[in-house]
Amino acid sequence: MDFLTLFLIYLCFVLATAALICLCSGRRQGRLARSAHGAAQVLSFVIPTELQRMTQKVLHRLFHTRSCLFVILHIALQAAVYGEYTWEVFGYCWELEIPIPFLLLPFLLLPVNMGFFVLCSRANPGVVTKSNHTSLIKIYAYDAVLFQKGIVCPTCNMEKPARSKHCGLCNICVHRFDHHCVWVNNCIGAFNTKYFFLYLFTLTGMAASIALITVAFFIQVVLLSNMMHGSYIDDQGQEQGIEILFLIQHLFLTFPRVVFMLGFVILLTVVLGAYCCFNLYLALTNQTSNEWYKSRRFGYSHHQASQPRDRRIIYRNIYSNGIWMNLKEIFKPPMVLGKKKR
């Protein structure tokens, strides 16, 4: 096994372990996360030191510094999927006389999605500066649980407005900080959340439409070939009816790239669809990803000092103003208010 192969195997293992530990992080790590961390430590005794250092540098470059690597990967994957759809699926579907508007839907969604992608990447997410600090600090009230008055950002040397957070990758404080998205290489904050929201939904629509069209294409192929009513001879020389597993194997051997693409876009649709639902929930309840994640901890935290030890902190979202007003705040974020929102 050469050095490059060993490095790639080790890197994949460390990436999987890091993702697992991130998912299971918290005060009480799960048994699976502890086992993965222990396995990584055991593996470190086998892997050469130089290889470990190289892996740490790659991981730091990927996840702890701002880079356009994931943007390039995003564009490359999108180009690969659309290339395969155009040269394979679209041509076959044209011959099978599948309705043209249905076939053109992914192409109509593409420029819309790319427009929101550019806006999300280039827009100011809500950087807190000395010139706008006084205005931004008046917009939201401090809830005294997630956001405390008087907390100063040690990097920016300014008091943090409520709902803001310092992004270590961009080295800025962001107003109504949601998260840093590596796929758009920008923070998601008060002023570009609407672009991210629409970018995510159009991306899900693109993946879902390509998946549906590809499935429709395979159904048409199976129906026209009358394959389900056929039979085949197995390894024992027995005649067997066509089963689903055999059908999938046959389609994979006939259209290998299309089947691989279909599996990828189906997985993408499921993951993006779940993430869309989560972001819709956050929008309807006027929460950010950062606030949602931080609020999970308070089921296990207790008051300090004179408070009883068995009394838990109850987090209440003071920023929700009803579904309509919450959605309006996403698409038209408040600027300077006469008094703080309650």
Side-chain angles (χ1 to χ4, degrees):
M1 185 179 294
D2 59 9
F3 180 81
L4 179 60
T5 304
L6 186 63
F7 171 71
L8 290 175
I9 293 174
Y10 179 63
L11 179 60
C12 290
F13 179 81
V14 174
L15 284 171
T17 304
L20 181 61
I21 292 175
C22 287
L23 287 174
C24 302
S25 62
R27 221 177 232 192
R28 301 177 181 177
Q29 288 189 355
R31 183 181 300 176
L32 189 60
R34 291 196 300 269
S35 301
H37 184 69
Q41 289 181 330
V42 171
L43 194 60
S44 66
F45 291 106
V46 182
I47 302 299
T49 305
E50 290 299 323
L51 185 58
Q52 295 182 42
R53 291 176 181 172
M54 189 181 299
T55 305
Q56 290 173 357
K57 289 181 180 179
V58 171
L59 290 174
H60 186 270
R61 178 66 178 170
L62 287 175
F63 299 108
H64 297 284
T65 58
R66 190 174 184 184
S67 170
C68 61
L69 180 62
F70 282 95
V71 175
I72 296 172
L73 178 61
H74 167 274
I75 295 173
L77 288 173
Q78 199 168 61
V81 169
Y82 266 85
E84 186 61 30
Y85 172 77
T86 303
W87 297 112
E88 294 280 349
V89 179
F90 187 85
Y92 286 125
C93 290
W94 183 283
E95 295 177 2
L96 294 174
E97 297 183 352
I98 293 178
I100 296 300
F102 189 44
L103 297 180
L104 293 178
L105 181 59
F107 295 110
L108 297 176
L109 288 172
L110 180 60
V112 178
N113 175 259
M114 291 305 297
F116 289 130
F117 171 77
V118 172
L119 288 172
C120 193
S121 314
R122 306 296 297 175
N124 176 10
V127 180
V128 181
T129 63
K130 291 184 179 180
S131 60
N132 65 12
H133 176 264
T134 304
S135 299
L136 293 179
I137 209 167
K138 297 177 181 178
I139 294 179
Y140 293 112
Y142 293 93
D143 63 3
V145 179
L146 300 183
F147 305 104
Q148 305 283 346
K149 185 176 179 58
I151 301 297
V152 176
C153 174
T155 304
C156 301
N157 197 27
M158 291 184 294
E159 182 182 359
K160 291 183 178 181
R163 309 191 79 181
S164 68
K165 185 180 184 299
H166 185 84
C167 175
L169 277 73
C170 299
N171 200 31
I172 54 174
C173 280
V174 179
H175 176 53
R176 199 185 181 276
F177 178 86
D178 191 279
H179 70 288
H180 180 91
C181 180
V182 296
W183 298 103
V184 300
N185 197 28
N186 197 8
C187 288
I188 307 303
F191 302 141
N192 67 346
T193 297
K194 54 181 177 291
Y195 301 134
F196 179 76
F197 199 74
L198 296 171
Y199 158 73
L200 189 62
F201 272 81
T202 53
L203 187 64
T204 306
M206 287 162 54
S209 61
I210 291 176
L212 288 173
I213 293 170
T214 307
V215 168
F217 159 65
F218 280 136
I219 291 174
Q220 285 286 81
V221 169
V222 171
L223 292 177
L224 291 175
S225 63
N226 204 26
M227 193 180 303
M228 291 301 295
H229 299 287
S231 61
Y232 69 99
I233 305 299
D234 61 15
D235 296 336
Q236 287 74 34
Q238 301 293 325
E239 185 176 3
Q240 301 288 344
I242 299 296
E243 300 173 349
I244 296 297
L245 186 61
F246 179 86
L247 181 62
I248 294 174
Q249 183 181 7
H250 175 76
L251 290 174
F252 181 78
L253 293 174
T254 308
F255 309 99
R257 297 199 308 271
V258 178
V259 172
F260 183 78
M261 182 201 72
L262 176 61
F264 175 73
V265 294
I266 287 177
L267 176 63
L268 197 62
T269 301
V270 172
V271 172
L272 289 175
Y275 192 47
C276 279
C277 292
F278 175 66
N279 275 269
L280 182 60
Y281 161 75
L282 293 179
L284 294 177
T285 56
N286 203 337
Q287 296 183 80
T288 65
S289 299
N290 177 54
E291 293 164 3
W292 179 87
Y293 175 74
K294 290 170 69 174
S295 67
R296 301 304 96 190
R297 301 178 308 191
F298 290 95
Y300 305 98
S301 300
H302 297 80
H303 284 289
Q304 299 177 354
S306 60
Q307 296 292 343
R309 295 179 62 87
D310 60 342
R311 184 177 178 182
R312 296 179 178 179
I313 295 176
I314 304 299
Y315 170 72
R316 184 175 64 89
N317 180 14
I318 67 171
Y319 305 114
S320 180
N321 297 296
I323 292 177
W324 171 248
M325 293 302 297
N326 292 341
L327 285 176
K328 183 180 178 181
E329 188 170 313
I330 294 292
F331 292 95
K332 189 178 180 181
M335 300 300 291
V336 182
L337 302 182
K339 57 181 181 179
K340 295 182 180 179
K341 293 180 67 175
R342 296 291 177 183

